[in-house]
Amino acid sequence: MTTLIAPFPANRPRRLRRTPELRALVRENVLSPADFIWPVFVQSGTDCATQIPSMPGVERLSVDRVVRAAHEAHALGIPAICLFPYTSMDDRTEDCAMAWDKDNLTNIAIRAIKDAVPDIAVMTDIALDPYNINGHDGFVEGDVIVNDRTVEALVKMALAQAEAGADILGPSDMMDGRIGALRTALEAEGHQDVTILSYAAKFASAFYGPFRDAVGASGALKGDKNTYQIDPANRETALRAVARDIGEGADMVMVKPGLPYLDVCREVRDRFEVPTYAYQVSGEYAMIQAASQNGWVDHDRVMMESLMCFKRAGCHGILTYFAPQAARILNG
Ligand code: PBG
């Protein structure tokens, strides 16, 4: 693209920044509550909530409270909610069988939300970590996270979630071949309209720390996830992973974490022209909360700026723990 720019003083860019009205006219990106997917943590029990110390302002919610949150999200214009179960050590086994139990916490919550708030889309997480005794996203044999046996289990997990009524499946496990296997199974079992939002470019990141506290996995995880999540140094690997997942049948793709990886977001959007999402993860949320609680930055302004940056980087939407707060500001 060639842009003709007159030399100064014919060109004075500040002319268009002079008033709020002029700035509004030339604003290139807009943020709306419809851009958000709100991740929520589900716990067992009734009418109860538990604070998550490393994510100030976020609570784990019992299923009835998650239904209330879904009502709230819907009223705010947020189109989707994403469920993460908090599991106790008793739910975690070597065979991860709870992951595909039709009455596990996630599946109970899906049914409850679809019953009460049919007009909100429900997204899920597909990975074995909430139900795995050692905290990994796949089965562990010796010191190896095995791929193909894990994919078979992920298929069972996905079918149970689709059966419960999930609209969007979010495979976050980073096993090879899982998108194709999920898509084939969904077609075969009559779930051809269930969408897959693949965690395609998911990096092995320390920014997930507070999330692992939130779901009770911090103590459980043995070792790290470096043999399946992408090296933060690798851009081309991430683009290949996105291409592969689209080729296997993903409807939408995600880059995760968000802000430190905006270059990848932009490149995915430009190259593939598929619906592209970023996950502003727990560590990103925690940093903004911590700094603003100390009075070091202005909470609302930093929150809104961080979300707008995803739009500027080309994202169609953002998974963010700020979703309801930001939607309230956007709705005035
Ligand atoms: C696990 C999963 C993780 C997140 C979403 N799904 C953590 C991990 O991969 O260890 C992170 C979300 C966040 O940090 O907010 N399958």
Side-chain angles (χ1 to χ4, degrees), residues 102 107 110-111 158-166 186 189 191 194:
K102 76 175 193 13
N107 294 331
I110 296 169
R111 288 195 294 268
L159 288 174
Q161 293 172 350
E163 208 60 60
L186 290 169
E189 299 298 322
H191 298 296
V194 172

Side-chain angles (χ1 to χ4, degrees), residues 55 84 125-127 129 137 172-173 199 202 207-209 211-212 225 229 256 279-283 321:
M55 298 182 73
F84 292 98
D125 193 71
I126 299 178
D129 55 326
D137 293 4
S172 71
D173 52 283
Y199 287 66
K202 178 169 179 179
F207 285 97
Y208 308 148
F211 172 95
R212 292 180 190 164
K225 300 191 175 184
Q229 299 178 347
K256 178 183 177 196
Y279 198 143
Q280 184 177 45
V281 299
S282 56
Y321 302 100

